[in-house]
C-alpha cells in the first residue's frame, strides 16, 4: 500500500479553498502605516499538506492576521544554488513539481502569480555590490508554491524565489539582514523549510500519525528553547543538537530559518510561534519575527 495515497487526494483542499479565497479577498492590503511586515519561517509540507485540513486552516488563519503583502520573497530548502539566483519574475511563472510518489493531480496544480520584476530590482539593490543575484527562468518549487497556495490562494501577490546560497548560519543571517529593509516596503520575507525532516527514518506508525519519534521531540524542544532566548549561537550549532542527525540528515530544511532571523529587526529578539504540532512524526513548527 502506498503510504502517501489517500482515497480522494486533495479533497481537503477542495473543501478549504472557496472560503479561503473569500477570506483572502477581504484582507486589507499592506500600507506604510502598518509598519514593517514580519519575516516568516514556514514548515512547508509537500502535496500531503493539501490533505491536512487542520494545517491548512492554521496557515490560512496566519495569513488572515497579516495585511496582504505587496510582494513575497521566499527562500526554499529545495533550491540550493550559489551564487545567489532568483526565479523568473515573469507573470504566470511556471511551477516546479519537484516531488514524486504522490497523486498525479498535484502535478497539475497551478499558481499563476503577477509580474515580480519590481521586486527583483529591489532585491538586487539591497544586496552588496558584486553580490547581485542573477535572474533565471526557473519556476517556483514546492517549498514556495505549496504553502503560498494555501496562505494566498488568490495568487494575486507577486512572488519571487531566491536560492539558498549556503548552509552556513552566519552567512545566511547576513543575507537576511540585507533583506530586512524590504519588510518596511510591504515585502513578506519567508524562509521555507521544515523544523524536522528525517524522511529516511519514517516508519509506518509515523506515516499513520500513531507516533512521534524521540528525535523529533528532542530537536523541536531544543529549537523552541533557543528561539525563545534569542540564542543564535546555540542555533548555529544545530549539528550538535539533541535528536541529530535523525532530525536533519541534511541541513537544507533547517537553515532557511537563519534568513528569517537575519531579516528580523532584532535577530536575538522574541519569536512568535504560529503553528506547532506534527505531520508524519515531523515537527511543523512555524514562526514569525518582528
Amino acid at each position: 500500500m502506498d503510504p502517501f495515497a489517500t482515497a480522494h487526494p486533495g479533497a481537503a483542499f477542495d473543501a478549504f479553498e472557496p472560503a479561503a479565497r473569500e477570506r483572502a479577498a477581504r484582507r486589507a492590503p499592506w500600507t506604510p502605516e502598518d509598519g514593517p511586515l514580519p519575516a516568516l519561517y514556514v514548515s512547508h509540507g509537500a502535496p500531503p499538506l493539501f490533505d491536512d485540513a487542520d494545517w491548512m486552516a492554521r496557515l490560512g488563519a496566519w495569513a488572515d492576521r497579516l495585511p496582504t503583502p505587496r510582494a513575497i520573497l521566499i527562500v526554499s530548502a529545495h533550491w540550493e544554488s550559489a551564487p545567489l539566483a532568483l526565479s523568473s519574475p515573469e507573470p504566470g511563472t511556471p511551477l516546479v513539481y519537484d516531488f514524486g510518489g504522490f497523486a498525479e493531480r498535484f502535478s497539475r496544480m497551478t499558481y499563476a502569480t503577477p509580474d515580480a520584476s519590481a521586486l527583483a530590482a529591489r532585491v538586487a539593490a539591497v544586496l552588496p555590490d558584486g553580490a547581485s543575484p542573477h535572474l533565471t527562468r526557473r519556476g517556483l518549487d514546492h517549498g514556495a508554491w505549496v504553502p503560498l497556495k494555501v496562505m494566498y490562494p488568490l495568487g494575486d501577490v507577486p512572488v519571487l524565489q531566491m536560492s539558498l546560497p549556503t548552509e552556513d548560519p552566519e552567512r545566511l543571517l547576513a543575507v537576511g539582514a540585507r533583506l530586512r529593509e524590504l519588510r518596511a516596503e510591504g515585502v513578506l520575507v519567508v524562509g521555507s523549510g521544515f523544523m524536522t525532516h528525517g524522511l529516511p527514518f519514517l516508519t509506518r506508525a509515523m506515516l499513520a500519525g500513531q507516533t512521534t519519534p524521540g528525535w523529533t521531540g528532542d530537536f523541536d524542544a531544543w529549537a523552541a528553547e533557543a528561539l525563545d532566548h534569542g540564542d543564535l549561537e546555540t542555533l548555529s550549532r544545530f549539528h550538535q543538537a539533541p535528536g541529530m542527525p535523525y532530525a536533519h540528515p541534511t541541513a537544507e530544511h533547517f537553515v532557511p530559518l537563519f534568513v528569517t532571523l537575519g531579516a528580523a529587526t532584532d535577530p536575538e529578539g522574541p519569536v512568535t510561534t504560529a503553528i506547532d504540532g506534527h505531520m508524519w512524526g515531523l515537527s511543523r513548527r512555524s514562526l514569525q519575527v518582528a
Side-chain angles (χ1 to χ4, degrees), residues 169 219 222 234-241 244 251 254-255 258:
F219 186 92
W222 166 87
T234 292
L235 289 167
S236 69
R237 298 197 302 269
F238 63 91
H239 289 291
Q240 303 171 22
M244 291 293 282
F254 183 68
V255 295
F258 293 104

Side-chain angles (χ1 to χ4, degrees), residues 133-194:
H134 65 278
L135 291 177
T136 71
R137 299 187 62 82
R138 189 182 191 276
L140 304 175
D141 65 46
H142 81 266
W145 68 265
V146 166
L148 293 182
K149 189 173 177 69
V150 172
M151 298 178 77
Y152 299 98
L154 299 178
D156 57 348
V157 180
V159 177
L160 201 62
Q161 187 171 344
M162 188 171 72
S163 69
L164 188 65
T166 177
E167 293 183 350
D168 178 71
E170 185 174 348
R171 292 173 60 191
L172 291 175
L173 286 166
V175 170
R178 289 284 183 172
L179 304 176
R180 188 179 303 155
E181 66 184 80
L182 299 179
R183 296 173 41 225
E185 301 171 15
V187 177
L188 188 67
V189 177
V190 183
S192 177
F194 219 118

Side-chain angles (χ1 to χ4, degrees), residues 19-44:
R21 292 177 66 88
E22 290 181 10
R23 291 198 315 274
R26 294 196 299 267
R27 294 173 189 157
W30 178 89
T31 69
E33 289 72 28
D34 292 313
L37 284 170
L40 313 185
Y41 172 78
V42 178
S43 290
H44 61 240

Side-chain angles (χ1 to χ4, degrees), residues 1-76:
M1 179 178 178
D2 184 349
F4 300 144
T6 60
H8 302 287
F13 179 76
D14 293 340
F16 165 85
E17 186 181 28
R21 292 177 66 88
E22 290 181 10
R23 291 198 315 274
R26 294 196 299 267
R27 294 173 189 157
W30 178 89
T31 69
E33 289 72 28
D34 292 313
L37 284 170
L40 313 185
Y41 172 78
V42 178
S43 290
H44 61 240
L49 173 58
F50 299 123
D51 295 321
D52 191 326
D54 173 72
W55 197 354
M56 287 189 292
R58 293 191 185 198
L59 282 168
W62 191 4
D64 288 342
R65 295 192 293 270
L66 305 175
T68 298
R70 293 178 58 226
I72 299 170
L73 179 66
I74 188 164
V75 180
S76 160

Side-chain angles (χ1 to χ4, degrees), residues 185-209:
E185 301 171 15
V187 177
L188 188 67
V189 177
V190 183
S192 177
F194 219 118
M195 187 55 73
T196 62
H197 198 251
L199 294 187
F201 310 110
L202 296 183
T203 65
R204 287 186 178 275
M206 291 167 64
L207 290 167

